[in-house]
Amino acid sequence: MRKKIVAGNWKMNNDLAQTETLITELKAQSNPAEVEVMIAPSFTNLWQAFNSLKDDSIEVIAQNMHFAESGAYTGEISAAMLKSLGIKTVILGHSERRAYFNETDELLAKKVDAALANDMRVIFCFGEELADRKSGNEEVVVESQIKNALFHLGADAFKHIVLAYEPVWAIGTGETASPEQAQDMHAFIRKTVADTYGNDVANNVSILYGGSCKPSNAKEIFSKPDVDGGLIGGAALNAADFYAIANAF
Ligand code: 13P
């Protein structure tokens, strides 16, 4: 059975003191059974966060990494560095990385390979822009993002991949995909995986929704059969809101 996951992507928010405060508030909440809860603080606060949550079931994950093992890549972070802290999961392909840091499908394929070679789990993000949806091209765009970055992998690799559909027009805008839009796209994504890798692989891969997910809409979105959880931005910065979402299944 595929896992239910709620992951908080803190993006470039929270300094060290704010990270400690939010983690203290998160620890005061009780973790829902059968839902994996994760948070992705910034690189500078990963070590602190990891240690603060050592005895908690919340997993601390990274927002990004470089594909190289080490070398002359000023300002970058490798999988080996993350692993040395105890980090086992990394978000790759977020639309903000694609839009502001020119991350292409080709680059992301290399990052995915590097993460898997280091025994890390990948939360792979993708999603169409507003213009794509308006022109009815959302499935074409999503299919090519997934295929270009992931479909060179063998079927076994999908045990370590979580898919995160994040329509760009819904991120940080307050506009959420309707539960039906999310379900339609998630079903399409699962079928795309099934067509190449078979039903077993497709039925076991978790597909998260991201984009203005909040306590008020999470229940309905998570009730859809192909939605296995959420990747949460703004609402993950508030402990009560984040846990209201994690408890929305
Ligand atoms: P918001 O929840 O703030 O829309 O962000 C979603 C997101 O980008 C999570 O990765």
Side-chain angles (χ1 to χ4, degrees):
M1 250 320 268
R2 54 186 183 256
K3 291 172 181 144
K4 293 184 166 63
I5 297 171
V6 172
N9 175 9
W10 290 10
K11 309 190 179 184
M12 197 173 72
N13 294 294
N14 291 334
D15 63 15
L16 182 58
Q18 290 164 329
T19 297
E20 283 174 351
T21 302
L22 183 48
I23 285 177
T24 303
E25 290 166 3
L26 291 171
K27 280 165 91 168
Q29 309 274 334
S30 48
N31 286 329
E34 293 170 14
V35 180
E36 286 190 41
V37 178
M38 308 174 183
I39 57 166
S42 62
F43 285 134
T44 54
N45 302 318
L46 281 179
W47 178 233
Q48 180 67 29
F50 182 82
N51 281 298
S52 300
L53 288 166
K54 245 188 185 141
D55 301 320
D56 196 282
S57 59
I58 300 174
E59 183 184 349
V60 177
I61 69 173
Q63 296 179 18
N64 180 33
M65 56 166 246
H66 196 268
F67 61 80
E69 207 48 25
S70 64
Y73 298 100
T74 301
E76 291 291 329
I77 305 282
S78 71
M81 290 170 183
L82 295 174
K83 268 180 68 179
S84 73
L85 303 185
I87 306 296
K88 297 194 179 87
T89 302
V90 62
I91 298 170
L92 294 176
H94 194 280
S95 64
E96 288 148 18
R97 300 290 320 167
R98 294 175 189 261
Y100 307 140
F101 303 97
N102 303 319
E103 295 201 358
T104 60
D105 292 344
E106 193 185 15
L107 175 81
L108 291 169
K110 287 201 219 173
K111 290 191 177 202
V112 168
D113 289 347
L116 297 179
N118 280 281
D119 300 320
M120 292 184 74
R121 174 163 60 166
V122 173
I123 298 181
F124 183 74
C125 307
F126 51 88
E128 82 283 1
E129 297 189 19
L130 185 58
D132 303 320
R133 185 156 281 266
K134 281 192 165 157
S135 58
N137 278 335
E138 64 270 19
E139 290 186 350
V140 176
V141 169
V142 160
E143 183 176 1
S144 76
Q145 288 173 325
I146 300 173
K147 286 193 165 170
N148 292 342
L150 300 178
F151 275 29
H152 61 287
L153 299 170
D156 261 9
F158 279 80
K159 290 182 186 140
H160 310 287
I161 302 271
V162 172
L163 300 174
Y165 169 57
E166 297 204 304
V168 177
W169 48 270
I171 296 178
T173 57
E175 185 161 345
T176 323
S178 69
E180 291 70 31
Q181 284 173 320
Q183 168 57 27
D184 286 352
M185 183 58 89
H186 283 222
F188 171 75
I189 294 161
R190 206 176 297 287
K191 182 181 178 304
T192 302
V193 174
D195 285 347
T196 298
Y197 293 100
N199 284 334
D200 260 14
V201 171
N203 287 333
N204 281 306
V205 70
S206 299
I207 308 178
L208 313 184
Y209 168 78
S212 299
C213 198
K214 344 182 234 280
S216 58
N217 59 29
K219 207 177 185 72
E220 217 187 329
I221 296 172
F222 292 177
S223 71
K224 294 296 177 190
D226 286 296
V227 178
D228 305 310
L231 187 54
I232 319 300
L237 301 173
N238 177 287
D241 286 351
F242 184 56
Y243 266 89
I245 295 170
N247 281 299
F249 283 101

